[in-house]
Amino acid sequence: MGSIDYRFERLEQPVDVAEYLFRRLYEVGIRSIHGLPGDYNLLSLDYIPKAGLKWVGNVNELNAAYAADGYARVKGISALVTTFGVGELSALNGIAGAYAEQVPLVHIVGCPSTTSEKNGLLLHHTLGNGDYNVFKNMYAQISCYVAKLDRPNEIADEIDHAIRECWLRSRPVYIMVPSDMVTEQVEGARLKTPLDLSEPANDSAKEDYVVDVVLKQLYAAKSPVMLVDACAIRHRCLDEVNDMLEKTNLPVFVAPMGKGAVSEQYHNYGGVYAGNGSHADVARVVEGADLVLSVGALKSDLNTSGFSYRLSQLNTIDLHSTHCTVGFSEYHGLAMRGVLRKLIERIDQTQLSIITTPQVKSDPSMYERQGPDSEVITQSWLWSRVSGYLRENDIVVTETGTPNFGIWDTVFPSGVTALNQNLWGSIGWSVGACQGAALAAKDDNVNRRTVLFVGDGSFQLTAQELSTMIQHQLRVTLFVICNEGYTIERFIHGPDEVYNDIDDWHYKDLPAAFGARDGQASTFVARKKSELEALFNDKEFQEAEGLQFVEVHVPKMDAPEALKLVAEAAARNNARAAK
């Protein structure tokens, strides 16, 4: 006891652990905390408003994790609070997705007191085996840093280090807060010094060497192009990407997960490159290039249309957050930001050979197989028409399935932020992510629309988050694409099997069922092109501030062409695995 008193006497400005933690989260830009209450975190929650933060009570922990994921993608970083065992395990899938997709998220778990653990008490929410660390050990596999705040002298350091790791590595961290540590005191004077979130500098000599090699190849190339993907977004390198384009006028393309990384109004923007899923003109230019400068590539199956890239590694320069690859030579510990910045400084535009790449505009006639007078809403018509509906600075969220693939054919206005989950691909993610994204925009005090496209099957998994959108008066336009079930699964296997079917809901009744009062939500049903066209052209619909909920009915076995190609590749891979 004497040692504790002595330590307290040395604190210049003692603050409680929970206050210190939440003030640090506020410092890095977080303004809202997602999560659910539980008896092990209740005391911590009292500190949230004291730190200037807002509590977002979600419907369940999985949805809260999805929402925190969406919030981080718009705001830069997010935080989630759950309770020990039952709460954190419900969030596990959402956190795993954030880890896979490199999203910075601070997961705070209220847990039993250190005294309870020391005495081996048989508490609720445990497995009944005395192991209080089993869930922490699970999270170690899907977190870039795990902290248990049970050593008072180290708590402030642990919190600061966890937040730094979350930001720099752009992945979730896990902070376990025992209930008796919430009011333990730490040095508050540390809060006067902001966290150092700057990226470590590259080794100068190695960086110079790689830049010289890259410049030599760029100058020698006759038809170089740039290809931008998800990790350029996740690791905050878009300023460098855009400065590089401004300096060089290079033709630029994006991978599906990188859509929105580059302004699609840029004069030398060419479109989405996804191997076999690309428009023919896009594939011709990218695959015909004698040098591809790839930034932040994430070459998953869905992102490459079943690993169908036709790019020579010999003619590819890959820049990543942890290493760079030039041809077949890999340079570890060399981050893309420093390399790009030095390239921008040193490049001589007069030595570059630049081709002009016409924009690949979305054209429904490329895939439309119906007569011009048909009123049936098809996938090809829908995604082309969405191009004219979207506005500058919209946030566009697309669900795994038809929306993730259909959006490839949509041309974005300037400033659009696109959210998708092509790698993890957890259906239902988009509804929670939409809530988080819309809240992030509201927290930034910018009046941006958040537009969600989600299939009916996916929507049914997480529909309850409508209530959170309504509660926080978020500006969301939500399109539920009704096609009687799991379309992407139908194209992989079992097109007519019952396991790919879902029950038909009265979707337009859901906002009222989830608490929308008069004026808080508007609902619409579009079964014909003319009905959806009328909505897209309606000024009141375009400018609405609250929740807008739209049922869009499309044929059961209609799907974007890219989805069909990927589904075929997935079926082949599954068959090979079975053999």
Side-chain angles (χ1 to χ4, degrees):
M1 187 69 182
S3 62
I4 294 177
D5 288 342
Y6 173 71
R7 184 177 59 80
F8 279 2
E9 289 175 1
R10 296 179 58 188
L11 297 178
E12 296 177 21
Q13 297 178 18
V15 297
D16 292 354
V17 165
E19 179 182 351
Y20 186 92
L21 172 58
F22 288 124
R23 285 177 63 181
R24 280 301 199 200
L25 295 179
Y26 184 94
E27 177 193 312
V28 298
I30 295 170
R31 294 296 179 268
S32 296
I33 307 291
H34 288 89
L36 274 85
D39 58 340
Y40 294 128
N41 68 30
L42 290 175
L43 185 57
S44 296
L45 302 186
D46 290 339
Y47 289 81
I48 289 176
K50 298 176 183 177
L53 298 166
K54 178 172 57 180
W55 171 249
V56 182
N58 295 91
V59 179
N60 60 54
E61 289 87 357
L62 175 60
N63 288 1
Y66 289 158
D69 180 313
Y71 187 96
R73 294 184 193 224
V74 173
K75 200 77 169 66
I77 190 170
S78 67
L80 167 71
V81 178
T82 63
T83 197
F84 180 74
V86 294
E88 59 183 313
L89 293 189
S90 292
L92 195 69
N93 175 37
I95 302 298
Y99 183 86
E101 301 240 341
Q102 302 184 41
V103 176
L105 189 162
V106 180
H107 183 192
I108 301 160
V109 178
C111 67
S113 68
T114 57
T115 304
S116 297
E117 181 176 2
K118 181 179 179 181
N119 293 333
L121 299 183
L122 190 61
L123 295 181
H124 61 287
H125 299 342
T126 71
L127 296 179
N129 61 2
D131 187 352
Y132 283 67
N133 294 307
V134 61
F135 310 124
K136 174 175 71 72
N137 294 337
M138 291 181 186
Y139 267 96
Q141 306 302 310
I142 54 170
S143 305
C144 69
Y145 186 76
V146 169
K148 186 175 184 180
L149 307 185
D150 58 356
R151 297 182 296 275
N153 285 323
E154 302 174 12
I155 285 177
D157 282 332
E158 285 271 50
I159 291 171
D160 290 356
H161 184 69
I163 296 173
R164 275 196 298 268
E165 288 293 290
C166 181
W167 180 264
L168 293 176
R169 297 171 66 180
S170 195
R171 278 201 157 109
V173 295
Y174 176 96
I175 300 178
M176 195 173 183
V177 186
S179 58
D180 59 339
M181 290 291 109
V182 171
T183 57
E184 187 74 20
Q185 294 194 313
V186 296
E187 181 53 77
R190 298 169 59 113
L191 294 168
K192 296 178 180 179
T193 304
L195 294 175
D196 180 8
L197 301 180
S198 59
E199 188 176 282
N202 288 331
D203 177 273
S204 182
K206 186 188 292 187
E207 186 177 75
D208 286 339
Y209 176 79
V210 169
V211 167
D212 287 343
V213 172
V214 172
L215 286 174
K216 184 178 179 179
Q217 293 199 21
L218 273 172
Y219 294 154
K222 300 301 181 185
S223 57
V225 300
M226 183 183 286
L227 179 60
V228 184
D229 206 346
C231 292
I233 302 172
R234 303 290 192 271
H235 294 275
R236 301 171 290 275
C237 284
L238 296 189
D239 286 345
E240 286 74 17
V241 166
N242 286 295
D243 287 350
M244 182 75 174
L245 292 174
E246 186 176 337
K247 182 79 175 282
T248 64
N249 287 314
L250 279 168
V252 63
F253 301 81
V254 296
M257 290 180 69
K259 190 167 173 65
V262 174
S263 172
E264 298 187 11
Q265 304 307 311
Y266 170 65
H267 70 95
N268 233 3
Y269 171 77
V272 175
Y273 177 69
N276 290 344
S278 313
H279 286 294
D281 288 342
V282 170
R284 175 182 54 79
V285 174
V286 176
E287 293 169 1
D290 58 359
L291 183 67
V292 176
L293 180 60
S294 171
V295 184
L298 211 167
K299 298 175 184 177
S300 70
D301 53 351
L302 299 189
N303 205 32
T304 61
S305 291
F307 306 114
S308 62
Y309 271 20
R310 293 186 178 89
L311 305 178
S312 168
Q313 186 58 48
L314 187 62
N315 296 334
T316 301
I317 297 167
D318 275 306
L319 306 183
H320 295 280
S321 62
T322 57
H323 66 283
C324 295
T325 303
V326 182
F328 294 101
S329 300
E330 192 164 300
Y331 303 89
H332 291 281
L334 201 62
M336 57 184 164
R337 187 192 314 279
V339 173
L340 280 170
R341 186 52 60 194
K342 195 163 285 187
L343 279 171
I344 294 163
E345 293 170 358
R346 296 185 181 180
I347 202 160
D348 180 356
Q349 303 100 307
T350 64
Q351 297 191 54
L352 294 172
S353 296
I354 302 299
I355 60 173
T356 300
T357 303
Q359 284 189 331
V360 178
K361 298 292 186 184
S362 180
D363 180 4
S365 66
M366 296 183 69
Y367 295 134
E368 189 67 79
R369 296 185 176 93
Q370 294 180 305
D373 297 327
S374 173
E375 276 278 44
V376 176
I377 300 173
T378 61
Q379 296 278 348
S380 56
W381 178 86
L382 171 64
W383 299 110
S384 174
R385 183 58 188 84
V386 166
S387 299
Y389 162 69
L390 295 179
R391 293 183 168 186
E392 290 187 2
N393 302 316
D394 279 348
I395 300 167
V396 179
V397 188
T398 50
E399 175 62 64
T400 298
T402 55
N404 259 2
F405 294 93
I407 203 71
W408 299 4
D409 287 330
T410 299
V411 178
F412 286 169
S414 296
V416 168
T417 299
L419 276 63
N420 60 65
Q421 203 194 44
N422 276 4
L423 175 57
W424 186 242
S426 181
I427 66 171
W429 163 85
S430 68
V431 182
C434 171
Q435 180 263 292
L439 182 60
K442 185 174 183 179
D443 282 355
D444 275 338
N445 294 313
V446 291
N447 193 19
R448 304 175 70 182
R449 296 191 309 184
T450 300
V451 182
L452 168 63
F453 297 96
V454 57
D456 50 5
S458 298
F459 177 73
Q460 288 193 6
L461 270 74
T462 49
Q464 314 97 310
E465 277 313 297
L466 281 178
S467 67
T468 313
M469 299 177 195
I470 294 165
Q471 177 190 357
H472 291 275
Q473 301 177 39
L474 301 180
R475 188 182 187 189
V476 171
T477 300
L478 192 158
F479 295 89
V480 177
I481 300 172
C482 301
N483 54 8
E484 303 177 47
Y486 304 120
T487 300
I488 188 170
E489 311 291 8
R490 294 190 196 282
F491 278 94
I492 295 174
H493 183 78
D496 298 313
E497 297 297 337
V498 66
Y499 47 70
N500 285 325
D501 296 336
I502 60 171
D503 288 336
D504 187 22
W505 287 6
H506 296 165
Y507 292 100
K508 68 182 182 62
D509 297 334
L510 292 179
F514 285 118
R517 304 292 184 265
D518 291 344
Q520 285 188 305
S522 300
T523 60
F524 309 89
V525 178
R527 298 180 183 273
K528 302 176 182 178
K529 286 179 181 176
S530 57
E531 292 170 342
L532 190 55
E533 189 75 50
L535 277 182
F536 284 158
N537 292 326
D538 185 86
K539 185 176 181 181
E540 184 177 346
F541 178 81
Q542 291 176 342
E543 297 180 357
E545 293 292 325
L547 173 67
Q548 302 208 105
F549 190 96
V550 187
E551 285 185 40
V552 180
H553 291 264
V554 302
K556 179 177 179 179
M557 287 302 293
D558 184 32
E561 293 298 311
L563 181 147
K564 297 176 185 178
L565 289 168
V566 171
E568 290 172 6
R572 288 194 300 270
N573 287 335
N574 291 343
R576 279 196 292 266
K579 292 177 182 178

